[in-house]
C-alpha cells in the first residue's frame, strides 16, 4: 500500500526535523485522495464507474445529491458531541447544536410529527433504541417474520433485538400473500405483546396501519412502524402515512428517502421522547456522526421541495410497471404487484434459486439481491426470490419505457436459465452492453479521477 507521506512531492524535501510537524507538509490539509492515496482513490473511481454503468435495483440503495455527498465529507466529521442540543458533554457545540436542531425541525416537517431523533447511525440502531426504551427481555414483541418480509432488527435471533425481548412472529396469508391480520390479532390476544412492530425489508404492499392500531389498543401495546423502504413515498404522499396510527416510526434515511446512510426515530408522543433519547445515546450508541447529521439535514431539506413529491410518485409508478412487465414475461411477482418501491419475484415456479440468478444478473450489469419467499423452505442462503427496488434507478432518470425494457432483460435472462440454455453467458454479456448503453448517459456526479467533483 502507498503510504500517506510518500505520495506528495513536497514530502521529500521537508522532514519532521525541519518543521516538527511533518504531517502538515505532506498534503494533510490540502491533498485529494488521488494525490494522497492512489490505492483508495483507484477503488473509488472503479466504484463510481460501476455505479454509472449498472442498472441499480438493490432496494436499499439510492444516489444522494452532490450536496448530501459534500456534507458527508464536511468538517462536521471532526466534531465530537455527546448528548442532545443544548445539553452536550463537550464544548464547542454551538454549530453542532444548530445543525442538529435544523435536521430535527426538517424531519418533523417532512413526517408531520412533533419529535424526531436524528442521531441513529443506522436503521438497526434506531430499532434497537426503541426496543431498549420500551422493552425488557421478559417482554413480548410481536413482529413480522423474516421469511414473510420482516426485518431481523425487529426481534430476530440473529440480531441483538432478539435478546432484548421475547419475539413472537406473524406472517402473511398463503393465498393473497398479504399480512394475515386475523392471525396477528390472535397472536396479540394470546401473547399480550408490549410492542407490535410493522414494516419490513421485503413486504411490498401497504400495511393497514389503522387495523394494527386497533389491535394494539385492544391489548394496551405500543405500535412501532419501520418505514425504511417506503419513507420517501410517505413524504411524497405516494403511500399511506403511519401517523397518527403509530406510536413510534423508525426509518433509514438512504433508501427511498434518498439521503445519507443513517436512521431516524419519530414520534408524536412527548412522554416517550426522553426514554428514546437516552436509549439512543448512551443506550445503544455514543456520539452522533455529525457529518451524517449534516447530510441528513440536507436530504430532509430536499424532501420538503415539490420535486421530491414528483420523485416519490415516479418511484411508485416505475415499481408498478416493473412488476407488471415481469409478470407479463412469465415471472411470478409476490402479491402480483406493489405499493412501495419494492418488487419481489418468485423463481420457484421456474425451478430456479435466487442467489445464482442474482450473480448472473450482476454479470449482466443489473444489481439486486436474493430474498426469501413465504411458505418456502429453500435454504435462505440461496432463496427462491429476487428483491428489486426502483428508488435508485428513478433518481438517475429511468423512464417508464426504460424500466419496462430492463424488466424484459431480466425476464429474458431468467428464461434462459429456466430453459438450461447454453447461451446464458452470451446473453449476460449482451445485456451488460445494453445496460451500460442505457445507464451511462444518465446523469450522475462528474467523473474526474477519484474525485467527486
Ligand atoms: C425495514 C428495515 N429496517 C431496518 C433496516 C436496517 O438498516 P441499517 O442497515 O441501516 O441498519 C433495514 C435495512 O435495509 C430495513 O429494510
Amino acid at each position: 500500500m502507498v503510504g500517506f507521506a510518500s505520495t506528495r512531492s513536497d514530502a521529500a524535501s521537508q522532514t519532521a526535523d525541519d518543521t516538527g510537524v511533518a504531517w502538515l507538509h505532506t498534503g494533510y490539509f490540502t491533498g485529494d485522495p488521488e494525490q494522497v492515496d492512489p490505492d483508495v482513490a483507484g477503488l473509488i473511481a472503479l466504484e463510481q464507474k460501476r455505479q454509472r454503468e449498472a442498472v441499480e435495483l438493490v432496494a436499499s440503495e439510492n444516489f444522494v445529491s452532490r450536496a448530501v455527498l459534500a456534507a458527508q465529507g464536511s468538517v462536521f466529521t471532526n466534531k465530537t458531541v455527546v448528548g442532545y442540543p443544548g445539553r452536550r458533554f463537550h464544548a464547542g457545540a454551538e454549530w453542532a447544536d444548530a445543525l442538529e436542531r435544523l435536521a430535527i425541525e426538517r424531519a418533523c416537517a417532512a413526517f408531520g410529527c412533533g419529535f424526531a431523533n436524528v442521531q441513529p447511525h443506522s436503521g438497526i440502531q434506531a430499532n434497537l433504541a426503541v426496543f431498549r426504551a420500551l422493552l425488557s427481555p421478559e417482554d413480548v414483541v410481536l413482529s413480522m417474520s423474516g421469511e414473510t418480509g420482516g426485518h431481523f432488527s425487529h426481534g430476530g435471533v440473529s440480531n441483538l433485538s432478539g435478546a432484548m425481548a421475547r419475539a413472537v412472529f406473524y406472517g402473511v396469508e398463503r393465498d393473497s400473500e398479504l399480512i394475515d391480520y386475523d392471525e396477528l390479532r390472535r397472536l396479540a390476544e394470546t401473547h399480550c405483546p408490549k410492542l407490535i412492530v410493522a414494516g419490513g425489508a421485503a413486504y411490498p404492499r401497504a400495511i393497514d396501519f389503522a387495523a394494527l392500531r386497533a389491535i394494539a389498543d385492544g391489548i394496551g401495546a405500543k405500535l412501532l412502524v419501520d418505514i425504511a423502504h417506503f419513507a420517501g413515498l410517505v413524504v411524497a404522499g405516494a403511500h399511506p402515512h403511519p401517523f397518527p396510527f403509530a406510536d413510534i416510526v423508525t426509518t433509514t434515511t438512504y433508501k427511498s428517502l434518498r439521503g445519507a446512510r443513517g436512521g431516524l426515530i419519530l414520534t408524536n408522543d412527548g412522554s416517550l421522547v426522553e426514554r428514546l433519547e437516552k436509549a439512543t445515546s448512551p443506550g445503544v450508541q455514543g456520539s452522533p456522526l455529525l457529518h451524517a447529521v449534516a447530510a441528513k439535514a440536507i436530504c430532509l431539506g430536499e424532501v420538503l421541495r415539490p420535486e421530491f413529491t414528483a420523485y416519490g410518485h415516479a418511484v411508485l409508478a416505475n415499481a408498478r410497471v416493473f412488476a407488471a412487465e415481469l409478470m407479463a414475461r412469465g415471472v411470478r411477482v409476490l402479491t402480483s404487484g406493489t405499493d412501495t418501491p419494492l418488487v419481489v419475484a418468485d423463481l420457484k415456479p421456474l425451478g430456479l434459486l435466487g442467489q445464482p440468478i442474482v450473480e448472473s444478473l450482476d454479470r449482466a450489469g443489473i444489481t439486486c439481491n436474493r430474498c426469501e419467499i413465504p411458505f418456502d423452505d429453500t435454504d435462505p442462503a440461496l432463496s427462491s426470490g429476487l428483491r428489486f427496488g426502483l428508488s435508485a434507478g428513478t433518481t438517475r432518470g429511468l423512464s417508464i419505457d426504460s424500466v419496462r425494457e430492463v424488466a424484459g432483460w431480466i425476464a429474458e435472462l431468467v428464461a434462459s436459465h429456466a430453459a438450461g440454455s447454453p447461451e446464458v453467458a452470451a446473453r449476460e454479456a449482451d445485456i451488460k452492453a445494453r445496460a451500460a448503453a442505457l445507464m451511462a448517459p444518465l446523469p450522475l456526479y462528474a467523473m474526474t479521477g477519484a474525485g467527486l467533483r
Side-chain angles (χ1 to χ4, degrees):
M1 293 291 282
V2 178
F4 222 61
S6 63
T7 57
R8 289 282 293 183
S9 56
D10 56 357
S13 59
Q14 290 190 297
T15 67
D17 287 345
D18 295 334
T19 65
V21 283
W23 56 90
L24 296 184
H25 299 274
T26 57
Y28 190 83
F29 285 126
T30 56
D32 287 322
E34 53 268 56
Q35 297 163 305
V36 173
D37 193 331
D39 299 310
V40 173
L43 295 174
I44 294 172
L46 288 169
E47 173 59 13
Q48 192 165 354
K49 181 173 183 305
R50 188 196 68 77
Q51 290 186 15
R52 176 175 291 278
E53 293 178 356
V55 180
E56 187 54 75
L57 295 174
V58 171
S60 48
E61 291 185 24
N62 210 327
F63 297 97
V64 299
S65 69
R66 178 69 186 84
V68 166
L69 209 53
Q72 289 254 68
S74 73
V75 294
F76 273 115
T77 299
N78 300 329
K79 184 65 194 136
T80 297
V81 291
V82 169
Y84 290 87
R87 296 170 279 142
R88 304 290 197 187
F89 182 69
H90 305 86
E94 183 183 1
W95 306 121
D97 281 4
L99 173 75
E100 190 169 334
R101 285 193 176 109
L102 183 62
I104 290 169
E105 192 183 297
R106 289 179 177 177
C108 289
F111 290 97
C113 60
F115 306 93
N117 187 327
V118 299
Q119 291 197 9
H121 298 336
S122 78
I124 289 182
Q125 300 292 106
N127 288 333
L128 290 179
V130 175
F131 272 51
R132 186 174 166 88
L134 299 185
L135 301 168
S136 302
E138 65 276 8
D139 292 329
V140 174
V141 60
L142 179 58
S143 305
M144 189 170 205
S145 66
E147 60 274 19
T148 59
H151 192 262
F152 59 89
S153 65
H154 300 168
V157 284
S158 63
N159 184 252
L160 180 57
S161 60
M164 295 171 93
R166 198 162 62 76
V168 173
F169 295 103
Y170 61 88
V172 296
E173 293 170 346
R174 198 174 272 274
D175 293 342
S176 68
E177 297 170 329
L178 301 177
I179 290 174
D180 187 338
Y181 293 95
D182 291 336
E183 179 200 37
L184 203 161
R185 177 177 286 102
R186 268 197 310 277
L187 289 170
E189 287 167 359
T190 306
H191 297 280
C192 290
K194 213 165 169 186
L195 179 68
I196 297 177
V197 186
Y203 184 71
R205 289 297 185 172
I207 295 163
D208 187 342
F209 300 132
L212 292 184
R213 177 75 266 159
I215 294 171
D217 283 345
I219 54 161
K222 297 280 187 218
L223 176 62
L224 164 65
V225 182
D226 179 345
I227 61 171
H229 280 279
F230 53 90
L233 272 54
V234 167
V235 175
H239 189 94
H241 209 299
F243 289 130
F245 307 106
D247 295 291
I248 302 172
V249 170
T250 53
T251 184
T252 56
T253 42
Y254 54 86
K255 299 182 177 84
S256 56
L257 205 59
R258 216 167 56 173
R261 305 198 71 78
L264 299 174
I265 305 174
L266 311 161
T267 186
N268 278 314
D269 186 343
S271 72
L272 293 175
V273 170
E274 201 184 326
R275 265 193 283 166
L276 289 169
E277 281 185 348
K278 283 191 180 144
T280 303
S281 177
V284 300
Q285 62 183 47
S287 50
L289 308 172
L290 282 175
H291 54 302
V293 173
K296 283 179 202 174
I298 291 187
C299 152
L300 290 163
E302 288 170 354
V303 305
L304 287 167
R305 298 198 191 118
E307 315 73 282
F308 193 82
T309 302
Y311 168 72
H313 286 274
V315 170
L316 183 58
N318 275 344
R320 285 183 165 158
V321 161
F322 182 84
E325 188 66 14
L326 284 183
M327 290 187 290
R329 303 289 205 102
V331 179
R332 196 179 94 77
V333 167
L334 230 64
T335 77
S336 303
T338 184
D339 302 318
T340 68
L342 297 175
V343 175
V344 180
D346 178 9
L347 300 174
K348 216 168 174 203
L350 297 169
L352 298 171
L353 292 167
Q355 185 57 24
I357 303 299
V358 167
E359 290 165 18
S360 174
L361 286 169
D362 195 19
R363 289 190 292 274
I366 298 172
T367 47
C368 64
N369 61 266
R370 69 169 187 270
C371 175
E372 286 183 73
I373 296 293
F375 310 108
D376 175 27
D377 53 12
T378 304
D379 175 1
L382 294 169
S383 300
S384 297
L386 300 176
R387 187 185 68 157
F388 302 100
L390 274 295
S391 299
T394 305
T395 298
R396 290 285 306 275
L398 272 186
S399 65
I400 290 271
D401 285 346
S402 301
V403 165
R404 205 174 276 126
E405 199 178 3
V406 169
W409 298 341
I410 293 168
E412 185 185 318
L413 193 54
V414 164
S416 297
H417 281 279
S421 164
E423 309 276 287
V424 163
R427 198 144 290 197
E428 286 169 357
D430 179 46
I431 293 175
K432 190 177 172 74
R434 284 187 262 164
L438 176 70
M439 298 310 295
L442 296 181
L444 196 60
Y445 326 103
M447 285 185 69
T448 52
L452 300 166
R453 292 176 294 277

